[in-house]
Amino acid sequence: MALADEEPMTSQLTSTSTSQTAGETADAADSRRTRLKRPGLIALASLTVVAAVAGAAPGAGAAPAATPGKPQLKLIAASNSVTLDRYKGEGVYLQLGTYLSVDNAPLEFEAKRKSYKDPIVVKQILRDGKKTKTKTLPAGLVKNFSGLSGFLEISIKNGAGEEVLKQGGTFCPNNASARIRPDAPATSHYPQSCSTNPWTLGSVWGVEKGWASNTTQFDYDESVDLPAGEYTAQVGVAKKYRDLFGIPDDRPTIKVTVREQSGEGGVGLSAAKSSAHHGGHGGHAAQSAPAANHHYGPRGADAPVPPALPQALVDRGTANHLGDGPGHTDGSRIAPALKPAAKRPTGKAGAPAGVPKPDLRSLPAWGIAITDGEDGDAPGRDYLAFSANVWNAGPAPLVVDGFRKPGADLMDAYQYFYDAKGKQVGYAPTGTMEWDARNGHEHWHFTDFASYRLLSEDQTKEVRSGKEAFCLANTDAIDYTVKNANWHPENTDLSSACGYQDSISVREVLDVGSGDTYNQYRPGQSFDITDLPNGTYYIKVIANPENRLQETNHKNNIALRKVVLGGTPGARTVQVPPHDLIDAP
C-alpha cells in the first residue's frame, strides 16, 4: 500500500505509572488468581525466551537496520507448549502465548470518529526521528475501538490431526506487552488497554520498538469448548494485514494440553463474569468479592452483557488481575490511591481568568435491560437498569478533594485548578462527599456529579428520576486523542481511589480523555417501571446537574437514549433502537 504523506502529528506523551497490586480482599480472589492470573504471568515471564526467537539475543543490541520509520513486525510464540485448565461447566480460554514483536520503529495507530454518525478512521503513525507521516488504513478494516479485527487466524487440531476449531481474533496493540531485548525503551508510553465502551470517540494504540504485545484477548463470555486432551494450535496473521504491514507469513505451532480441573468455576471465572457484566461502579465490590450465590439481571439470570470494559475493570476491588508484575502490565493493575492536599485550602476561593478547566460530557445510556431488581429492591417489581458514563474532554483534569472534620459524617469538597505547568492556582468549594455503606459501594461519594431521568415520549414530562453520588474513577478511555489526554490515568480502581470509612481526606480525579461508567443495577439506582404504561421513553443522563463544578462548557452535559417498553407486569420487555451508527442496546 502506498504511503500517503499527510499532516504532521504529535502524540500526548505521559510517564508510565508504576504497576502495583493491592492486598488480598476475599477468599474468592484466591480462586481467581489460580485460574486467571497465573497463566497470564507464565506467558509474560516467558518473554525471556522470545528474544532468541525474535532474532535478537540478549546483549546483541538493536535489530538490523531497515526502512527508517517503518516498524518490523513478526508473530512469535513465547513457548512451544502451553497447558490450559478446564473447569466444570466452563470452556477453555485460549492463552496460547503468541506475541507480535515490533522493532526498528514503534507500531502506532490513531483511531477516531468525528461523531456517532461517522465511521471509525484509523491512521498509522510513522515516526522517523523528527519526521512524522501518517498512513490511513483501508475503510471498514476496523469495526470498533477494541483493536485490529480479524487480525489473527487460529487453527486447532486434535491428536488425530482433525481440525476441531478455526477462528479469527482481534489484536489490541495495547495488550500485555514487554521488552524483547535489553536496549529497548524501558517503559511504554502507550495506553495499557483498548477501549470496548460503545461510545468511544478516539483511541491510541501502540507498541514500542523492541517490545512485543500479547495477542491473547480475554472475553469471559467467549471461551471455547475443548475437552481434556492433547491438541496442536497454529496461529497466523491474516493476509490482509500481512500485505498491509509487511509481516512475514510465520505461523507458530504450539502444543496445547487441556486438563480437567475438579473445582467449581463459580467463585472464580463466574464471579469475574458477573463483575464484567456489572463493570464500572455498579459492579465493583470495594472490600469483598461478589457473593457466589448473588443473582444478577433479568429474573435472576445473568445480567445483560454490555460490551466488556477494559481488563482493569473486570475484577475491581481485588488484587488479582491478569498480567500484573514487575516491568509489565496489561492495563489491569490496581492503581494506587491519589493523595489529597495535605490540608484544606485557605485564602480567597476562586479560579484565575483563563485557567484550564475540565469539560464534562454525558454519553447515551447502554446495557439497558429489564430486571427484577437487586438485593434491597422491592420484590415483585419491574426495573429498568442501564449503564451511564460521564467523561472529561479536557483540557484540564477534574480534581476534587474531600476534607473531613473530626467526627463529621460528611466531607467538605473542593475543586482544584492548575495552570499549564501543573501548578495549583485556585480552588472552589463544590459541595460535599458522603460515605456510602451499602454492600458493593463502601467508599466516599462526591455528590451532585450526575443524575438520571426517565422522560415521556415528547420529552416534556419526567416520569422517573434517579440521583447518584459518585466516587470518581477513570474506568473507560473515551477519547485519548483530545488535547492533554492522559494515557496512563492513575485512579482506575475504586477500592484504592475512593477512600475508606475511617479516611479523613480523599482525592478523586476524572482525567482528560477518560470517562466514569456507573451501572444502574444497585438498589435504588434503576428506574421502577412497574406502574408505567408501555410506550416510548427516553433515558436522560445529566452531568454536573447543579452546575457546582466549574467547567469550560455546560451546554454538552445532557445525553438522551430512546427506549420502548412493552410486555406485561412481571414480564416487561425493552427495545433499544440504535443511536446513529451505534447499536448498543
Side-chain angles (χ1 to χ4, degrees):
M1 181 175 181
L3 179 66
D5 288 338
E6 294 180 326
E7 71 280 0
M9 300 187 64
T10 58
S11 66
Q12 179 69 20
L13 303 182
T14 60
S15 60
T16 303
S17 304
T18 301
S19 178
Q20 297 187 12
T21 56
E24 198 59 52
T25 58
D27 292 340
D30 292 329
S31 175
R32 191 174 299 110
R33 175 173 58 231
T34 300
R35 301 178 196 185
L36 294 183
K37 184 181 179 184
R38 191 169 296 155
L41 287 177
I42 290 173
L44 284 167
S46 63
L47 275 180
T48 55
V49 180
V50 167
V53 179
T67 304
K70 182 179 179 180
Q72 291 179 313
L73 310 180
K74 184 179 178 67
L75 186 67
I76 56 180
S79 176
N80 293 325
S81 63
V82 297
T83 299
L84 307 179
D85 289 328
R86 178 187 178 99
Y87 289 85
K88 184 178 180 180
E90 297 172 352
V92 174
Y93 297 88
L94 293 180
Q95 297 174 262
L96 299 177
T98 56
Y99 290 76
L100 186 72
S101 68
V102 178
D103 223 320
N104 190 59
L107 177 66
E108 182 177 334
F109 301 96
E110 181 185 85
K112 190 174 181 65
R113 57 184 166 205
K114 295 180 181 179
S115 73
Y116 299 126
K117 296 180 180 180
D118 298 293
I120 299 171
V121 176
V122 181
K123 295 181 179 181
Q124 183 180 3
I125 314 301
L126 299 162
R127 303 182 186 280
D128 178 15
K130 296 182 179 180
K131 298 179 181 178
T132 301
K133 296 181 180 179
T134 64
K135 179 173 71 174
T136 301
L137 271 56
L141 191 67
V142 171
K143 296 179 172 57
N144 52 48
F145 289 94
S146 64
L148 301 173
S149 54
F151 186 86
L152 288 182
E153 296 176 338
I154 302 172
S155 173
I156 296 183
K157 295 181 179 180
N158 61 18
E162 301 168 328
E163 188 174 62
V164 295
L165 177 68
K166 185 176 183 179
Q167 68 178 40
T170 297
F171 172 59
C172 167
N174 297 344
N175 199 25
S177 59
R179 293 189 293 175
I180 57 174
R181 53 184 175 82
D183 63 333
T187 58
S188 172
H189 76 277
Y190 294 110
Q192 294 172 313
S193 61
C194 293
S195 178
T196 51
N197 187 301
W199 306 106
T200 301
L201 287 164
S203 289
V204 175
W205 306 327
V207 184
E208 296 284 2
K209 68 176 181 178
W211 285 56
S213 179
N214 196 323
T215 62
T216 301
Q217 289 279 90
F218 291 94
D219 185 338
Y220 293 109
D221 296 287
E222 292 295 336
S223 61
V224 298
D225 187 14
L226 286 180
E230 301 292 329
Y231 301 88
T232 300
Q234 187 179 72
V235 184
V237 176
K239 186 178 185 302
K240 59 184 177 181
Y241 288 107
R242 298 200 309 267
D243 294 344
L244 186 60
F245 302 126
I247 305 174
D249 190 13
D250 296 313
R251 294 182 176 268
T253 299
I254 305 104
K255 292 182 179 180
V256 179
T257 299
V258 176
R259 62 186 180 188
E260 194 81 31
Q261 296 287 1
S262 58
E264 293 288 338
V267 181
L269 289 176
S270 292
K273 290 178 185 178
S274 295
S275 184
H277 292 174
H278 292 260
H281 289 248
H284 104 289
Q287 301 183 26
S288 62
N293 61 355
H294 185 82
H295 77 274
Y296 291 94
R299 309 298 155 202
D302 276 352
V305 185
L309 295 174
Q311 189 68 27
L313 310 176
V314 169
D315 181 25
R316 303 172 68 168
T318 73
N320 299 287
H321 294 277
L322 184 68
D324 284 346
H328 61 256
T329 178
D330 64 355
S332 65
R333 76 208 189 288
I334 287 188
L338 297 172
K339 295 183 179 180
K343 57 184 179 180
R344 57 180 71 215
T346 58
K348 185 177 181 181
V355 67
K357 296 178 182 176
D359 180 11
L360 302 180
R361 302 182 183 183
S362 295
L363 298 178
W366 81 99
I368 301 167
I370 304 295
T371 81
D372 57 359
E374 292 293 328
D375 295 342
D377 283 324
R381 300 188 69 82
D382 296 307
Y383 294 88
L384 182 65
F386 59 96
S387 297
N389 184 295
V390 173
W391 72 288
N392 180 6
L398 173 64
V399 180
V400 179
D401 278 6
F403 297 93
R404 185 180 188 180
K405 296 176 181 177
D409 292 331
L410 297 177
M411 288 189 182
D412 299 321
Y414 298 85
Q415 181 181 1
Y416 286 81
F417 307 98
Y418 303 84
D419 62 19
K421 296 182 179 180
K423 179 182 177 181
Q424 181 186 320
V425 293
Y427 74 94
T430 185
T432 60
M433 292 184 182
E434 61 185 7
W435 174 256
D436 191 329
R438 292 177 295 175
N439 183 36
H441 292 271
E442 299 175 299
H443 49 227
W444 288 91
H445 279 180
F446 170 56
T447 57
D448 294 326
F449 178 70
S451 63
Y452 317 103
R453 312 282 197 276
L454 188 62
L455 306 181
S456 59
E457 182 174 10
D458 62 4
Q459 302 179 30
T460 62
K461 185 185 299 183
E462 179 182 302
V463 295
R464 291 288 185 274
S465 66
K467 191 174 185 180
E468 270 300 318
F470 275 71
C471 166
L472 303 182
N474 301 295
T475 68
D476 297 73
I478 301 300
D479 193 347
Y480 276 6
T481 69
V482 297
K483 182 180 179 181
N484 295 339
N486 183 0
W487 296 354
H488 292 270
E490 292 185 88
N491 59 321
T492 57
D493 177 74
L494 296 172
S495 67
S496 62
C498 304
Y500 300 95
Q501 189 170 11
D502 59 355
S503 296
I504 196 168
S505 59
V506 296
R507 165 159 288 188
E508 298 182 4
V509 176
L510 189 60
D511 230 316
V512 179
S514 290
D516 189 352
T517 292
Y518 213 114
N519 289 351
Q520 307 304 304
Y521 285 92
R522 292 289 179 188
Q525 296 178 346
S526 53
F527 295 124
D528 186 341
I529 61 167
T530 306
D531 303 322
L532 289 183
N534 291 338
T536 298
Y537 297 86
Y538 286 86
I539 297 175
K540 182 179 182 180
V541 181
I542 311 171
N544 193 16
E546 304 299 329
N547 287 330
R548 294 193 183 200
L549 294 169
Q550 296 189 33
E551 51 176 320
T552 59
N553 186 0
H554 290 266
K555 297 181 180 180
N556 53 16
N557 290 10
I558 293 175
L560 298 174
R561 190 71 193 275
K562 182 179 180 179
V563 296
V564 181
L565 299 180
T568 58
R572 298 298 292 273
T573 63
V574 60
Q575 295 180 344
V576 187
H579 181 95
D580 295 329
L581 294 180
I582 310 301
D583 190 3

